[in-house]
């Protein structure tokens, strides 16, 4: 028996059973004994089919005879693949045997072969009950902190919003039934007439085979058996559909169908399609909108209104005509709907290009706190803390900053274009018909002068004539439909249009063209390559500069100080390149961003910000009499003698930080280290603290999210919030999780006064210290730079009254090796500019910009603001810098200026009484009275004063810890060019600084 005929008979056996005995469909027959039963079932089924066609007064014999008149249609190369190999004579003989009661001697029918194929096809059938109870994969809607749509999360085929059938207007239901299954209300899952018509159509017409599937069958196909074009799938589909009709009502089946179908634009289900195409829920669809969507299940791509609007209109007209035939609409309603515009909302609004790291983090939080398997496991509503505008700004700032770093250091590597559109452009050009020649364009020459074209009626009446729409070039159509690989990179895409010696030209997504500066990609680009660019106006028109994907990585976080709400998070350069979230899933050495812990411990122990500390070599003994002693070094190598506690932090002195362990916090260094560790543990920066001295310089890796919590605590005078991004999760309006309001937890290891003093010292870092690029906004921002050993990590951790901003830049260590950013590439140089852009974005997106607050009402009674000389820390009569001193609350203040550096030590370093000059440790000349005498007069430059007046240094290395003098070193430095990314006409020249935060060893790394 012919193989294709075996499959046809097995399919006919299925159809016979589900139409004549739907309550007793057998899925197993015995090949040896059930042959006569199969013959009987086939004959019963054919008789039933003939009666069904008699209802419509159609001669089934004539239909089949007509279809079989041309044997090449069935057996030839143009026949549908599903019918390849079918023998026309065998088919005709079989039809006469089972449908006309004949008993031909040469019957090809082999019951055993048919039964074996049928039994194999019906193995492991899904149950109808499982489909009834199956939850459709749905799309989760994620809302931002303002309650507006922010993102979507769904499975590959699950971008849908499930709605009850009662929410779908009756007219919309009728439109889909009219277009897809006009006998839906009367059949029992299988429309036998539709199946036979499809079979005959397959015999008579080549192309994709028609299936004759009902809405019920499509539900089964979508939810269970798949859409393979095979006889096996068709057999399984018919049996399960028949069973499903017995346990579900018609409205329930229609609801499964309308929620399950794919309708283009990545939308599954009627509700998602209504929102994607028209920006409204299904309940608000108009007649033409409903008809347009109802026409799309037949071919969402073929009838796409975005790609083929004419086809979409024709299909819509067909659906409207069917509704008119069914009496659902009037002639006038049909005519008006046919003339209506498509009314589509732009397809771009359906695409998301931001927040992928955030969504991944929300998914993890939802699994932990709400108990949901994932955000794609059902239709959920998730409310987040994210500021959508700031989120995009953070991503842009990080991407630009990483690219700028590589471009400025010569580390760019061009690895090729993002994609190439040559094939797409060729297909578009091939599908675009050539312009028709018109008489006006090419008049016939007959000896007479060609008559010019006549204006149309409107033009003759003087009315304005609408210009004919300009067709988009093929490259623009291809660019608009292209799916970028780096879909969350915010640089514009451009397609290369010219590569000649005269210059390179690119096309932009808005249809304009621009001259291209290819940079390092010169001679590496080909026609129709898609690249990323930065566009600017220039002489001769638009100019585009290529943007190359960096290999360096980074991360950024913005945290709301009072609440712990995560307002923005970027876990890397681009989520498609790496799903590793470097904010929450990695730990890196924080470098000097951890130094504030040590200074906080010292302030809490009673030291004042003007306390002098020796910036000179120090060796700390082994901890517990085991191990090695520790001798850290400054970034610039040497030391600068006595310096104030404030200046030690502002200019990130490693030796000052280390010396605080020698009596600045506790009498012995190990005990001091333990107190610093205690604060770190209570602040939840670490789960455990490694007891070794380099810890105070940031040698122990930290998670960015945990570091942010500490800086938020500094802004709050010691109250640490718990960072979070998930506010609530709902399913069908029912709450699954809602975060309870939590007050920040106070860090008891240090009091409010110490935290406030620390904040003012961190403000000095941004005013004129290692983050002086932020000096223009230092009234609003405090912070600390940090760089780990060998410049492997560059950090900035900053705070305002409202938010904390953390930025990290470095190379991943996935291959087990650590890669340096390069000499001089410190936190102040690499990360501060990124943070500056983030701050600007925050202020532009609703975050308050307010001067840093003074002490709280609880701390104010214990703080005295007294004038000091900013270089020496000595109290003066007035007019200088106001330092914030701890008091006992009754006006008494402990003077700790000389606690760590006794006066005797300082006098020993003074000029001798004879000539007033003495060579210092580094050979520099010292002169004058270093401390002054409370007169308010400014002392002369002194070797012991690292900020005194002196000529500008000749090398970067010599710039280590010096200030160019002004009347107040705490104000922006005059006579220097600012590296501030904030710009402005009053920019001044500033020497380039690098943070002296080297951890240890002979080769400075920070």
């Amino acid at each position: 028996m012919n193989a294709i005929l075996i499959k046809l008979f097995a399919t006919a056996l299925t159809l016979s059973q589900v139409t004549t005995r739907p309550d007793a469909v057998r899925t197993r027959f015995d090949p040896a004994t059930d042959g006569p039963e199969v013959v009987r079932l086939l004959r019963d089924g054919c008789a039933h089919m003939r009666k069904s066609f008699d209802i419509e007064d159609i001669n089934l014999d004539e239909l089949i005879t007509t279809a079989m008149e041309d044997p090449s249609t069935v057996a030839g190369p143009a026949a549908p693949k599903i019918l390849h190999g079918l023998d026309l004579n065998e088919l005709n003989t079989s039809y006469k045997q089972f449908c006309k009661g004949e008993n031909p001697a040469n019957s090809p029918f082999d019951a055993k072969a048919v039964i074996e194929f049928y039994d194999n096809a019906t193995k492991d059938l899904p149950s109808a009950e499982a489909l009834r109870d199956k939850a459709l994969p749905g799309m989760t809607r994620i809302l931002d902190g303002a309650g507006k749509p922010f993102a979507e999360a769904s499975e590959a085929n699950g971008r849908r919003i499930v709605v009850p059938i009662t929410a779908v207007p009756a007219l919309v239901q009728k439109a889909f039934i009219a277009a897809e299954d006009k006998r839906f209300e009367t059949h029992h899952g299988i429309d036998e007439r539709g199946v036979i018509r499809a079979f005959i159509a397959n015999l008579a017409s080549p192309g994709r085979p028609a299936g004759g599937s009902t809405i019920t069958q499509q539900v089964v196909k979508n939810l269970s058996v798949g859409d393979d074009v095979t006889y096996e799938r068709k057999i399984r589909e018919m049996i399960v559909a028949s069973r499903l009709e017995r346990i579900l009502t018609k409205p329930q089946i229609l609801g499964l169908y309308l929620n399950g179908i794919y309708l283009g634009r990545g939308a599954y289900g009627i509700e998602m399609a209504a929102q994607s195409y028209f920006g409204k829920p299904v309940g608000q669809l108009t007649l033409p909108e409903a008809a347009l969507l109802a026409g799309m299940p037949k071919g969402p791509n073929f009838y796409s209104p975005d790609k083929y609007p004419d086809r979409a209109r024709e299909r819509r007209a067909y659906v409207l005509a069917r509704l008119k035939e069914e009496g659902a609409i009037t002639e006038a309603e049909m005519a008006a709907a046919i003339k209506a515009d498509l009314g589509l909302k732009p397809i771009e609004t359906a695409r998301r290009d931001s927040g992928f790291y955030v969504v991944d983090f929300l998914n993890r939080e939802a699994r932990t706190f709400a108990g949901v398997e994932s955000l794609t496991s059902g239709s959920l509503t998730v409310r987040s803390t994210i500021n959508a505008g700031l989120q995009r700004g953070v991503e842009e700032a990080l991407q630009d900053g990483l690219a700028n770093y590589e471009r400025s250091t010569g580390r760019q590597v061009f690895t090729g274009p993002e994609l190439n559109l040559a094939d797409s452009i060729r297909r578009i050009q091939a599908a675009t018909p050539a312009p028709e020649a018109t008489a006006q364009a090419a008049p016939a020459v007959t000896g007479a002068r060609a008559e010019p074209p006549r204006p149309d009626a409107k033009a003759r009446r003087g009315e304005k004539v609408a210009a004919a729409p300009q067709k988009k070039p093929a490259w623009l159509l291809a660019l608009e439909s292209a799916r970028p690989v780096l879909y969350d990179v915010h640089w514009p895409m451009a397609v290369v249009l010219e590569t000649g010696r005269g210059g390179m030209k690119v096309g932009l997504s808005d249809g304009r063209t621009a001259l291209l500066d290819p940079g390092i990609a010169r001679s590496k680009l080909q026609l129709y390559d898609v690249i990323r660019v930065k566009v600017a106006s220039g002489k001769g028109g638009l100019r585009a500069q290529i943007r190359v994907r960096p290999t360096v990585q980074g991360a950024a976080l913005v945290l709301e100080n009072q609440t712990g709400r995560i307002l923005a998070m970027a876990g890397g350069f681009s989520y498609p390149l790496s799903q590793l979230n470097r904010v929450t899933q990695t730990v890196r050495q924080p470098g000097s961003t951890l130094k504030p812990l040590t200074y906080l411990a010292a302030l809490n122990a009673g030291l004042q910000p003007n306390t002098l500390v020796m910036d000179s070599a120090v060796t700390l003994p082994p901890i517990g009499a085991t191990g090695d002693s520790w001798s850290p070094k400054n970034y610039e190598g040497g030391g600068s003698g006595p310096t104030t506690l404030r200046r030690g932090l502002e200019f990130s002195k490693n030796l000052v930080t280390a010396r605080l362990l020698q009596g600045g916090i506790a009498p012995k260094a190990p005990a001091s280290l333990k107190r610093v560790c205690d604060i770190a543990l209570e602040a939840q920066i670490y789960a455990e603290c490694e007891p070794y001295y380099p810890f105070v310089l940031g040698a122990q890796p930290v998670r960015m999210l945990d570091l942010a919590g500490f800086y938020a605590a500094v802004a709050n005078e010691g109250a640490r919030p718990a960072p979070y991004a998930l506010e609530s999760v709902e399913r069908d309006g029912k709450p699954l999780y809602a975060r309870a309001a939590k007050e920040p937890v106070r860090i008891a290891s240090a009091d409010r006064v110490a935290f406030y003093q620390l904040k003012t010292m961190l403000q000095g870092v941004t005013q004129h210290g290692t983050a002086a690029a932020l000096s223009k906004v230092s009234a609003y921002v405090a912070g600390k730079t940090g760089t780990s050993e060998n410049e492997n990590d560059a950090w900035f951790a900053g705070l305002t009254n409202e938010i904390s901003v953390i930025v990290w830049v470095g190379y991943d260590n996935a291959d087990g090796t650590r890669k340096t950013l390069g000499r001089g590439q410190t936190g102040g140089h690499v990360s501060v500019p990124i943070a500056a852009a983030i701050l600007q974005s925050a202020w532009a997106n609703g975050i308050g910009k307010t001067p840093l607050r003074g002490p709280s009402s609880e701390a104010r009674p214990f703080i005295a603001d007294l004038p000091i000389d900013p270089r020496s820390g000595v109290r003066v009569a007035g007019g200088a810098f106001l330092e914030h001193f701890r008091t006992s609350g009754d006006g008494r203040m402990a003077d700790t200026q000389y606690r760590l550096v006794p006066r005797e030590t300082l006098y020993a370093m003074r000029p001798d009484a004879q000539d007033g000059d003495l060579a210092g440790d580094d050979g520099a000349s010292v002169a004058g009275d270093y401390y002054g005498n409370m007169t308010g007069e400014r002392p002369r430059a002194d070797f012991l004063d690292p900020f005194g007046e002196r000529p500008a240094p000749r090398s970067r290395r010599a710039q280590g810890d010096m200030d160019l003098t002004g009347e107040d070193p705490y104000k922006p430095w005059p006579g220097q060019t600012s590296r501030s990314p904030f710009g402005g006409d009053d920019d001044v020249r500033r020497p380039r600084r690098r943070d002296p935060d080297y951890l240890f060893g002979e080769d400075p790394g920070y």
Side-chain angles (χ1 to χ4, degrees):
M1 187 175 182
N2 184 280
I4 189 71
L5 200 58
I6 293 174
K7 297 177 181 180
L8 283 174
F9 270 115
T11 306
L13 176 60
T14 308
L15 184 60
S16 297
Q17 292 192 87
V18 297
T19 55
T20 63
R21 42 186 292 182
D23 295 340
V25 175
R26 290 182 60 178
T27 57
R28 283 289 177 273
F29 291 93
D30 189 329
T33 61
D34 286 336
E37 174 69 7
V38 167
V39 170
R40 185 181 66 80
L41 287 171
L42 288 170
R43 285 180 170 169
D44 289 347
C46 194
H48 172 83
M49 211 68 62
R50 292 169 69 90
K51 289 180 181 179
S52 297
F53 274 86
D54 288 343
I55 295 173
E56 295 188 357
D57 197 22
I58 295 174
N59 191 319
L60 187 59
D61 291 345
E62 289 183 4
L63 284 175
I64 294 177
T65 301
T66 301
M68 293 182 179
E69 284 180 351
D70 183 6
S72 65
T73 304
V74 177
K81 289 183 179 180
I82 200 169
L83 299 175
H84 278 179
L86 179 62
D87 185 283
L88 181 62
N89 292 325
E90 288 187 353
L91 178 63
N92 202 11
T93 301
S94 299
Y95 171 69
K96 293 177 181 179
Q97 178 181 357
F98 291 100
C99 294
K100 303 192 75 174
E102 300 180 6
N103 292 304
N106 59 342
S107 171
F109 181 73
D110 182 347
K112 180 175 181 294
V114 171
I115 290 173
E116 288 175 346
F117 180 85
Y118 177 85
D119 286 355
N120 183 67
T122 55
K123 274 198 246 180
D124 302 322
L125 273 177
S127 69
E129 289 75 14
L131 296 186
R132 176 193 62 193
D133 301 329
K134 184 174 182 178
L136 288 170
M139 184 199 75
T140 289
R141 290 175 292 182
I142 300 172
L143 308 180
D144 65 13
K148 297 179 180 179
F150 171 69
E152 302 170 355
S154 64
E155 295 179 358
N157 298 325
R159 186 173 175 262
R160 65 167 52 82
I161 300 173
V162 177
V163 293
I165 189 62
T166 53
V168 182
L171 186 60
V172 177
Q173 298 182 35
K174 291 177 181 178
F176 278 88
I177 291 173
E180 290 293 305
D181 188 2
K182 68 179 182 180
R183 283 183 285 272
F184 173 70
E185 298 292 349
T186 58
H187 66 61
H188 299 289
I190 309 298
D191 181 4
E192 51 266 47
R193 281 171 282 180
V195 173
I196 295 301
R197 284 177 183 276
F199 177 70
I200 294 171
N202 288 335
L203 291 178
S205 302
R208 191 180 191 278
S213 294
T214 64
I215 283 178
T216 311
Q217 286 176 271
Q218 291 184 57
V219 168
V220 172
K221 178 180 69 174
N222 293 336
L223 298 185
S224 178
V225 299
D227 59 357
D228 294 339
V229 185
T230 62
Y231 289 96
E232 290 91 335
R233 192 267 296 172
K234 199 68 178 177
I235 290 170
R236 297 165 67 83
E237 177 187 291
M238 286 193 291
I239 295 174
V240 178
S242 174
R243 293 174 173 175
L244 191 64
E245 285 269 350
R246 295 166 53 200
I247 62 175
L248 290 180
T249 64
K250 288 291 184 179
Q252 288 174 318
I253 293 172
L254 185 60
L256 284 173
Y257 172 73
L258 292 177
N259 281 305
I261 51 175
Y262 178 65
L263 294 169
R265 281 199 179 187
Y268 288 80
I270 185 65
E271 176 69 15
M272 190 74 254
Q275 295 191 14
S276 295
Y277 283 101
F278 306 114
K280 61 176 66 172
V282 63
Q284 297 178 14
L285 289 178
T286 63
L287 173 61
E289 292 168 348
L292 180 70
L293 295 182
M296 297 193 63
K298 185 176 179 65
N301 184 64
F302 186 83
Y303 293 110
S304 168
D306 301 309
K307 297 179 181 178
Y308 311 109
D310 291 339
R311 292 180 189 173
R313 288 188 181 92
E314 291 175 4
R315 181 66 177 165
R316 182 180 68 176
Y318 164 77
V319 176
L320 291 167
R322 287 285 305 116
L323 284 169
K324 165 66 172 53
E325 291 175 12
E326 296 295 326
I329 61 174
T330 65
E331 182 80 29
E333 289 174 326
M334 179 184 74
I338 288 175
K339 293 178 182 179
D341 292 334
L342 293 179
L344 306 174
K345 82 171 184 178
I347 192 172
E348 287 78 12
T349 60
R351 298 180 182 177
R352 178 167 65 94
D353 63 354
S354 177
F356 292 91
Y357 286 105
V358 170
V359 172
D360 194 41
F361 181 67
L362 287 170
N363 185 60
R364 295 170 186 272
E365 285 206 325
R367 188 163 56 244
T368 301
F369 299 116
V372 298
E373 182 179 346
S374 74
L375 294 184
T376 62
S377 61
S379 297
L380 306 172
T381 298
V382 174
R383 299 182 185 277
S384 74
T385 63
I386 299 301
N387 180 316
L390 177 56
Q391 175 64 37
R392 187 178 184 88
V394 167
E395 292 177 8
E396 291 176 352
L398 182 63
Q399 290 166 3
D400 286 343
L402 297 180
N404 290 339
Y405 155 75
E406 287 203 344
R407 186 167 55 251
S408 65
T409 57
R411 293 194 174 197
Q412 279 185 324
V413 178
F414 181 71
T415 57
E418 194 161 333
L419 58 149
N420 186 280
L421 299 180
D423 291 341
S424 297
I425 291 173
R426 279 194 292 268
R427 284 195 296 268
I428 292 172
Q429 290 172 336
T432 303
E436 295 181 3
T438 63
Q440 291 84 356
V445 180
T446 60
R449 178 177 299 178
E451 183 177 348
R454 297 180 179 181
D456 63 14
K458 284 187 177 181
R460 289 197 300 271
R461 293 195 300 268
E463 298 177 16
K464 185 177 180 180
V465 180
Q470 298 294 318
K471 290 188 175 180
K472 294 181 179 180
W475 66 262
L476 181 55
L477 292 172
L479 186 60
E480 288 176 341
S481 62
R483 294 290 179 175
V485 177
L486 305 180
Y487 44 76
D488 61 348
V489 171
H490 301 296
W491 303 326
M493 290 198 304
V495 57
V496 177
L497 301 179
E498 294 181 11
T499 59
R501 293 183 178 179
M504 303 187 73
K505 183 181 290 186
V506 293
L508 307 175
S509 58
D510 59 6
R512 297 181 297 171
T513 60
L515 295 176
L516 174 68
D517 175 6
I520 64 170
R522 191 178 304 276
S523 76
K524 299 178 182 179
L525 295 175
Q526 299 180 3
L527 194 64
Y528 302 137
D529 278 347
V530 175
I531 57 175
R532 301 284 181 161
V533 297
K534 180 179 181 180
V535 182
S537 298
K539 292 182 179 180
L542 287 179
R543 295 184 177 274
Q545 185 182 57
I546 194 169
R547 284 290 179 264
V548 177
R549 182 188 79 198
T551 56
V552 71
Q553 273 292 353
L557 175 69
V558 180
L559 188 73
E560 191 172 71
N561 294 331
Q562 291 296 322
T563 64
R565 289 158 50 94
I566 295 173
L567 302 182
M569 172 194 294
F573 172 76
S574 174
Y575 187 80
L577 287 177
S578 170
Q579 289 76 57
L580 178 66
N581 189 336
R582 295 157 186 84
V583 173
T584 62
Q585 294 177 302
T586 65
V587 291
R588 301 290 295 232
Q589 285 186 328
S592 294
T593 58
L594 202 71
K595 283 181 180 175
L597 283 174
T598 302
Y599 286 82
L600 179 64
L603 292 168
N604 194 69
L607 296 187
Q608 305 282 18
N610 74 331
T611 301
L612 291 173
V613 185
M614 286 298 297
D615 180 21
S616 61
V618 62
T619 297
L620 299 183
I623 297 176
T626 60
D628 299 325
S629 59
W630 182 51
S631 300
K633 297 185 183 302
N634 280 334
Y635 177 70
E636 304 298 342
S640 54
T643 187
T644 64
L645 196 67
R646 170 181 288 275
R647 293 293 191 171
L649 181 60
E650 290 173 346
F651 290 92
S652 204
K653 293 294 189 178
N654 289 342
L655 295 177
V656 171
T657 306
R659 278 190 174 272
L660 286 175
L661 299 179
Q662 279 191 324
I665 301 172
K668 300 294 184 180
S672 295
L673 177 62
K674 184 179 185 306
R675 291 192 186 179
V676 176
C677 282
D678 288 342
I679 297 177
L681 295 177
E682 190 178 358
Q684 299 184 40
I685 299 176
Y686 298 105
E688 57 183 62
C689 177
E690 298 181 26
Y692 72 128
Y693 293 125
F695 170 84
V696 299
L697 300 184
Q700 182 172 336
V702 67
R703 192 172 66 142
M704 178 183 285
L705 189 65
D706 301 324
L707 188 63
F710 170 70
Y711 276 82
V714 175
N716 298 337
E717 282 189 4
R720 181 192 182 277
Y724 74 100
L726 183 67
E727 292 279 14
S728 65
V729 180
E730 296 176 2
R731 177 180 283 129
D732 300 327
K734 299 178 181 178
L736 299 180
Y737 166 79
R739 187 181 189 276
K742 297 179 181 178
E743 291 294 324
V745 177
R746 181 152 299 283
I747 299 173
S749 298
D751 63 13
R752 286 179 176 271
V753 174
F755 272 105
Y756 176 72
Q757 289 177 310
L758 176 64
K759 183 176 72 173
T760 68
M761 293 163 66
L762 292 174
Q763 186 176 18
V765 175
T766 61
Q767 188 177 41
H768 53 257
T770 57
L774 294 172
S775 61
K776 285 185 176 293
V777 294
S778 61
Y780 315 100
V781 183
K784 186 69 187 75
T785 56
T787 309
S788 67
E789 185 181 11
N790 296 325
E791 283 110 333
N792 291 322
D793 307 272
W795 292 81
F796 176 74
L799 60 95
T800 71
N801 288 331
E802 294 78 18
I803 59 175
S804 292
V805 176
I806 316 293
V807 176
W808 167 83
V809 176
Y811 289 94
D812 286 336
N813 299 332
D815 59 356
T817 61
R818 302 181 70 194
K819 184 176 180 180
T820 178
L821 291 167
R823 176 65 177 166
Q825 302 305 316
T826 62
H829 187 70
V830 178
S831 297
V832 166
I834 298 173
I838 291 174
L839 286 166
Q840 290 286 46
S841 180
W843 293 329
N845 283 283
I847 307 301
K849 183 180 181 181
T850 56
L852 288 173
R853 284 188 294 264
S856 64
S857 58
E858 294 87 348
R860 179 74 267 181
F862 303 96
I863 293 176
D865 297 335
L866 301 174
I868 66 167
D869 181 87
R871 299 169 301 157
S872 65
V874 172
R875 290 176 56 188
V876 294
F881 172 73
L882 288 180
E883 186 58 89
H884 311 282
F885 290 92
R886 175 190 293 272
T887 70
S888 60
D890 57 3
R892 292 181 299 172
M893 182 189 76
D895 185 359
T896 66
Q897 185 175 17
Y898 309 111
R899 178 178 295 179
L900 301 182
V901 183
R903 291 178 184 269
E904 294 77 9
T905 301
L906 295 172
Y907 277 111
M909 301 175 67
R910 291 181 61 188
D912 72 22
Q914 299 299 320
D915 57 15
D917 288 316
L918 180 68
D921 289 344
D922 61 356
S925 176
V926 268
D929 184 357
Y930 177 70
Y931 296 105
N933 53 11
M934 299 292 288
T935 64
E937 298 178 359
R938 188 177 180 84
R940 290 180 294 164
D942 191 284
F943 159 71
L944 298 179
D945 178 7
F947 310 102
E949 299 181 44
R950 64 194 68 197
R954 296 183 178 180
S955 68
R956 291 185 188 174
R957 189 170 181 82
Q959 294 174 16
D961 299 308
M962 62 181 61
D963 183 0
L964 296 184
T965 60
E967 292 187 359
D968 183 355
Y970 277 65
K971 294 181 180 178
W973 300 340
Q976 304 155 9
T977 298
S978 173
R979 295 178 55 81
S980 169
F982 298 96
D985 296 333
D986 58 346
D987 283 357
V988 290
R989 184 170 184 80
R990 182 188 317 285
R992 295 177 64 188
R993 283 201 53 84
R994 294 175 298 181
D995 298 342
D997 296 325
Y998 168 55
L999 290 178
F1000 43 88
E1002 293 300 326
D1003 182 17
Y1006 193 97

